[in-house]
Structure formats: structure tokens, C-alpha cells
Amino acid sequence: MTSTDVLFRSFRIGSMELANRIVMAPMTRSFAPAGIPGPAHAAYYRRRAEGGVGLILSEGTVVDRPASRNDPGVPFFHGERALAGWKGVIDAVHTAGGRMGPQLWHTGGVKSFLTDWVPDVEVESPSGLDAPGVARGKAMSDADIADTIAAFAKAAAEAKRLGFDTIELHGAHGYLIDQFFWSGTNLRSDRYGGATIRERSRFAAEIVAAIRASVGPGFPIILRVSQWKPQDYAARIAETPDLMADWLQPLVDAGVDVLHCSQRRFWEPEFPEIDGTEGLNFAGWAKKLTGAATISVGSVGLTGDVMGAFNGEGSTSVGLDKLVERMERDEFDLIAVGRALISDPTWVKKIRSGDTEDLKGFDTTDLAELV
Ligand SMILES: Cc1cc2nc3c(=O)[nH]c(=O)nc-3n(C[C@H](O)[C@H](O)[C@H](O)COP(=O)(O)O)c2cc1C
């Protein structure tokens, strides 16, 4: 059996010290009616802290814009009642010795694939699209953009005030920020659009700079990015390492400390034409190109990948040999685990003690409640 010791080294970034390298991936659970997280959320996240997760990232929680969410069960990260709920969450996690950051989100022009609910004002996005060629809602004005940047900065400041250890900005999976990155959904001809990825990164870079100004130095900022999108699994923002540097370096320069590089399967090489089929993954390349710390993710400890979860597919557990090998090479710094932690809050403890017989895998029925 492979030793997993490499996962249990501590890690420091800015003001945040983590006991190990395992991160709970951000996962929308849609259990916040009226946008308010409650005691069930506090207990759910506390169980993961008690179970030994090094860093918990919350489900996506939305900033203060009229149409920032696409599902009525998604929690707000604004307003007195929602923020009081989040205070209960971070206090519970800290009591159990955990570390946590909220994932700050705006769903842009994207329709949820779980519900037909729509907000009561028009949805907004760079060019009034959901996916390339699919019209939905309005293109954002300069004033909409400025207000959205301010809303992200305000949410980050609130997170710090409540006592969270970090924040994650959701720039992945085809939602608002990713709609600006993606040439298929950003058709703007102003300063937030353009033919190059460096130009289309400007919106995200301005958000990051505003967040950095609002939280000050030392408070870690994580940015989640992906090449793939639920709208198009094969989509790519950066086809080459040079383009990846053009995409990510301005964001690191603006204040990002950690890049959370979302893949559906962590072992897949990002540019196999350069370093082969066992080559660096997305997080590996992002770390090599920018020098920033990175988090990898994708089917850790499970047989099937994430999109199966939304088609009712469970997954059984598999060993961590491939992960351990990559972490021993320092390809990336941290590893996020999603579905395995939905079904089993004690997953990390079992990995540490080698109690692999008892690993549960992922059962889709566990999505029906906050286990
Ligand atoms: C139910 C569910 C909800 C998710 N919601 C989010 C989300 O709000 N934000 C996000 O960035 N990713 C979200 N994801 C993706 C996960 O963070 C993670 O990247 C993905 O599940 C792959 O990790 P895994 O294979 O370990 O599950 C979600 C995944 C699942 C299964």
C-alpha cells in the first residue's frame, strides 16, 4: 500500500497555515432557502473539519448583484441574515480546528442544469450569452461591470471580517468570470473584450486587484479556473503554455496567491504534445509558468468523474498511488477532493490511518441531504 504521508505535510500561504494538503472542493448543495445558510450548514462543514480536511472551500455563494445566482437554494454572501449564517459556519469550523474560505460566485448568463428557476431580473453576462451562440439575458454595461467588481471586493472584505481564513474567487466552469475569459462568450469590443486572452482576463484582474485592496496584504486569495466548461467539455481557454501564461500571469500579478486548476481527472496531462502522456497536469503547468501555489482536483479516490454525478452516477473508491506520485514530485501544492467528501466527512481520517476497506466512494443519494 502506498504511503500517503506526502498529503499530510503542513502548508503556509500568507496568513494561513494548513495542517495538511487536502482541500474540500467547493460544491453547490442548494440547501439555503431565501439564500440564508443555517445550523445545518455549520454542522455539515464542521463535520469535515473534525474529519481532518486541511482547508474547506464552501459551496459557491453569490455576491450582491440582482441576478447573481441561477438556483434559489444557493446561499448569498451579502445581507445581514446570510452573513450571520456564515459567521455561524466559520465559528463552527474554527472550533473544530479547521480552516475555511467561501467560494465567491456570480453565475452570469448561465442557466442551472438542475432547476428551471430564473431570477426576477434579467441575467447578465459579457455579451448576453449562456454558451457560444446561445442568447440569454443582457450584455453588461460599464456601470454593471463596475458594480460587480465592487460587489466581489465587498464580499471578500466581509469574509475577512467574519473570520474566514481565505476566499476563493470562482473563475471557472463557464460562469460569469469564465464567460469573460472565453472567446465564445466574450464578444465585447471594449476594454473587457478583445482577440487576446490577456485582454479578456482584464475583468478578472480588476476583480482580484479590488479584492486585494479590500483585504490588504497577507490574506490569501485563491482563484479557481478551468479550461473545460459544462457547456463544452472540450473548450480550452489556453491552447499553449504561452497562452496559459498570458491568461494566468496578469491574475497572479493582480494579487492571486493560489490558482485552483479545475480538471475532471487530475492525472490528465495538459499539454501531452510537449511532455508526454504522463506530463504535467493543469495545476502543474500553472505552477511552473506563474510560480504561484496551485491546487489540483478531479476524481481523486473515485472511479467516475464529476459530470456523472449530475446524471445519477455513483462512483466506487480507488487508490491514491497516482496522486501520491505527483505530489511527491511537487507538481502542485494542494489537492481538492469533491464527491468523496460529500458521502464521507471522515474520508481524510480514513486515508491517513490506511483504513481503505471502509472508504465509501460516492453515492448520489447523499446529494439529497447535508450528510
Ligand atoms: C454536487 C456538486 C456541486 C458542485 N458545485 C460546484 C461549485 O459550486 N463551484 C465549483 O467551483 N465547483 C463545483 N463543483 C465541482 C467540484 O468542486 C469539483 O471540481 C468536482 O466535483 C471534481 O472533484 P471530484 O471528482 O473529487 O468530485 C461541484 C461538484 C459537485 C459534485
Side-chain angles (χ1 to χ4, degrees):
M1 198 182 66
T2 314
S3 161
T4 56
D5 288 355
V6 71
L7 300 175
F8 293 95
R9 294 165 301 157
S10 63
F11 186 70
R12 169 170 279 283
I13 186 98
S15 55
M16 181 169 71
E17 173 99 39
L18 303 178
N20 63 50
R21 304 300 180 100
I22 301 170
V23 177
M24 179 175 178
M27 285 177 291
T28 293
R29 304 302 312 277
S30 305
F31 286 108
I36 315 294
H41 292 83
Y44 166 76
Y45 288 115
R46 192 193 62 231
R47 280 192 287 280
R48 273 76 191 165
E50 287 167 351
V53 173
L55 173 64
I56 297 170
L57 296 171
S58 79
E59 60 206 285
T61 171
V62 297
V63 299
D64 190 8
R65 283 288 296 165
S68 57
R69 61 181 188 162
N70 63 3
D71 172 327
V74 164
F76 296 131
F77 208 83
H78 59 87
E80 216 174 296
R81 287 179 60 215
L83 292 176
W86 283 116
K87 173 83 178 134
V89 170
I90 187 57
D91 287 351
V93 165
H94 280 165
T95 301
R99 297 284 175 271
M100 182 171 185
Q103 187 191 46
L104 304 178
W105 194 20
H106 183 317
T107 54
V110 180
K111 188 185 171 307
S112 165
F113 49 90
L114 301 174
T115 162
D116 288 328
W117 181 87
V118 282
D120 50 16
V121 295
E122 205 175 18
V123 298
E124 60 183 6
S125 64
S127 302
L129 298 172
D130 178 329
V134 182
R136 192 160 187 268
K138 65 166 186 172
M140 291 166 82
S141 67
D142 283 354
D144 293 331
I145 288 179
D147 191 63
T148 302
I149 293 170
F152 274 107
K154 175 98 187 318
E158 295 287 17
K160 186 178 177 195
R161 181 180 64 81
L162 295 178
F164 282 96
D165 304 285
T166 181
I167 62 100
E168 176 167 284
L169 182 61
H170 193 348
H173 303 165
Y175 296 106
L176 182 69
I177 293 173
D178 200 17
Q179 291 194 304
F180 275 86
F181 292 141
W182 196 12
S183 59
T185 46
N186 183 347
L187 311 179
R188 300 178 76 95
S189 52
D190 65 0
R191 62 196 298 269
Y192 295 104
T196 67
I197 181 58
R198 197 172 271 275
E199 291 166 299
R200 297 192 305 275
S201 282
R202 185 191 298 272
F203 174 66
E206 289 188 7
I207 294 174
V208 172
I211 289 177
R212 177 54 74 207
S214 79
V215 297
F219 187 78
I221 299 175
I222 305 172
L223 171 68
R224 196 169 218 214
V225 284
S226 66
Q227 300 259 30
W228 74 280
K229 299 112 201 19
Q231 298 98 316
D232 179 356
Y233 293 165
R236 293 187 90 184
I237 301 290
E239 299 275 3
T240 65
D242 282 351
L243 289 172
M244 186 176 278
D246 282 351
W247 174 25
L248 301 178
Q249 192 63 53
L251 304 167
V252 172
D253 294 343
V256 167
D257 300 291
V258 183
L259 290 163
H260 186 173
C261 302
S262 170
Q263 285 184 265
R264 289 160 62 204
R265 305 173 197 91
F266 76 86
W267 59 87
E268 289 184 346
E270 188 60 32
F271 299 116
E273 65 282 12
I274 296 176
D275 56 3
T277 51
E278 297 295 311
L280 297 178
N281 72 7
F282 181 15
W285 274 101
K287 182 176 166 75
K288 175 176 158 145
L289 292 168
T290 66
T294 59
I295 309 176
S296 189
V297 65
S299 305
V300 170
L302 293 178
T303 47
D305 83 52
V306 53
M307 293 319 283
F310 299 109
N311 300 321
E313 287 167 27
S315 243
T316 48
S317 88
V318 293
L320 300 184
D321 312 28
K322 279 188 285 193
L323 173 67
V324 165
E325 272 172 40
R326 284 178 186 259
M327 290 206 80
E328 282 177 345
R329 293 198 297 258
D330 274 331
E331 183 174 336
F332 40 81
D333 301 282
L334 300 163
I335 185 71
V337 176
R339 290 161 297 147
L341 278 168
I342 283 194
S343 287
D344 189 355
T346 65
W347 186 87
V348 176
K349 271 194 180 151
K350 288 177 184 170
I351 295 298
R352 179 152 218 181
S353 64
D355 184 11
T356 46
E357 295 290 293
D358 274 349
L359 288 172
K360 289 187 179 166
F362 165 66
D363 184 340
T364 49
T365 60
D366 294 329
L367 290 174
E369 57 179 320
L370 293 173
V371 175

